[in-house]
Amino acid sequence: MPLSARAIRTYFLLLTFLALRAFGNLCLAWGTKHLPETLAADPLVYLRSMLDPAIALGIVMLILALLVRLALLSVADLSFVLPMTAVGYVLAALLGRFFLHEVVSPQRWLAVALIFAGTALVSSTPQNTTPPSARGMIEGAK
Amino acid sequence: MTWVLVTVMVVATALSDLLQSYEMKRAGVQSVGARGVGRLLRMIVERRYLLLSIVCLAFSFFAFMALVQAAPLSFAVPASAASFILETLLAKVLLKEQIGARRAAGALLVLCGLLALAR
């Protein structure tokens, strides 16, 4: 596969993953907020809640997001994928603001920005620092 | 209640990741192909720690569901990043991973973000 086609495939998978997870979370939030009962320690309440169309859709989207992430990890390094998926924290704040009409204070935007920066930094460190017995082929990519 | 849910979610996520990382490193390098997925599924059933990690993941997810019901989405998702701090600590203590300056700085930034989120 030529490099550009591989890059396009990688970014396509990345965008699909980000969208699926962000909107999956949104569906889940919207669905649970409109439930007549409060989710507590009772498993039955959870099972019943999964019959709600918005919650079911959210769960399906999150499962798909997990599968797309697996496909993404097969074509891209984890050290590329993790900082990119940190964008999800910003997306969650944006979706909450526009679709759920949440009030996001300047301080909360700052918090989201710090968490985004922090996770991106944590994720960009070397993948494997444990003894060589566990080392795969990732080392050769550096 | 919000903070109880955040705690359950974060501790369950950290435990799940820790168990997964520990058990998968013991299992050695895995391929992700059509046959690889089948083998992965069998491994999950066979290896106790992996199964336990899935149970933790389920707890974390149900706590997240209850959290997005009670708290804003713009709070719940960023709050889940607290697992990075716990995982960094546990990875150092239990998995003997070396925490470099960058990873420590990242965990610190996340901590600052959480403090800003909490107020």
Side-chain angles (χ1 to χ4, degrees):
Chain A
M1 212 195 301
L3 193 72
S4 59
R6 192 190 164 90
I8 290 169
R9 186 180 151 82
T10 304
Y11 281 103
F12 173 73
L13 286 172
L14 179 66
L15 288 178
T16 311
F17 166 71
L18 283 173
L20 278 173
R21 192 155 80 171
F23 282 97
N25 280 340
L26 178 66
C27 284
L28 211 61
W30 196 85
T32 51
K33 279 179 206 299
H34 288 81
L35 278 180
E37 46 196 353
T38 309
L39 294 171
D42 186 358
L44 274 177
V45 180
Y46 279 98
L47 288 178
R48 256 201 311 273
S49 77
M50 285 173 196
L51 296 174
D52 179 89
I55 295 178
L57 180 65
I59 291 177
V60 168
M61 284 169 96
L62 289 176
I63 291 172
L64 284 177
L66 215 66
L67 295 177
V68 172
R69 187 172 184 268
L70 273 182
L72 179 61
L73 284 172
S74 74
V75 291
D77 286 344
L78 189 64
S79 55
F80 164 81
V81 172
L82 278 180
M84 290 295 165
T85 53
V87 175
Y89 299 117
V90 183
L91 284 179
L94 285 172
L95 292 182
R97 164 83 179 69
F98 288 108
F99 287 97
L100 301 174
H101 310 294
E102 292 171 1
V103 180
V104 185
S105 65
Q107 179 163 352
R108 184 165 288 176
W109 283 118
L110 174 72
V112 170
L114 282 171
I115 288 168
F116 164 69
T119 36
L121 204 61
V122 170
S123 317
S124 62
T125 48
Q127 301 93 334
N128 205 331
T129 60
T130 42
S133 60
R135 240 166 240 179
M137 289 174 291
I138 307 160
E139 287 291 295
K142 278 198 205 127
Chain B
M1 190 58 195
T2 303
W3 289 102
V4 176
L5 290 173
V6 170
T7 307
V8 172
M9 172 177 73
V10 166
V11 171
T13 307
L15 270 182
S16 167
D17 282 348
L18 217 68
L19 288 167
Q20 261 178 56
S21 183
Y22 175 74
E23 194 66 294
M24 291 310 283
K25 288 227 171 55
R26 271 205 338 187
V29 179
Q30 297 295 320
S31 65
V32 183
R35 206 190 287 166
V37 173
R39 212 173 40 222
L40 271 177
L41 286 178
R42 206 175 61 224
M43 254 171 61
I44 292 174
V45 182
E46 283 172 358
R47 292 182 174 258
R48 246 181 312 164
Y49 282 167
L50 281 186
L51 210 56
L52 195 61
S53 93
I54 305 284
V55 173
C56 287
L57 211 58
F59 267 99
S60 151
F61 181 71
F62 290 132
F64 178 71
M65 265 179 84
L67 184 62
V68 287
Q69 183 182 39
L73 185 66
S74 57
F75 169 86
V77 176
S80 68
S83 60
F84 274 89
I85 298 166
L86 191 58
E87 277 173 34
T88 302
L89 281 175
L90 291 178
K92 182 171 172 59
V93 176
L94 296 179
L95 298 181
K96 315 280 181 233
E97 291 181 10
Q98 283 157 32
I99 311 301
R102 260 172 97 164
R103 200 180 285 204
L108 207 67
L109 273 182
V110 173
L111 187 64
C112 292
L114 286 167
L115 290 178
L117 197 67
R119 283 181 33 171

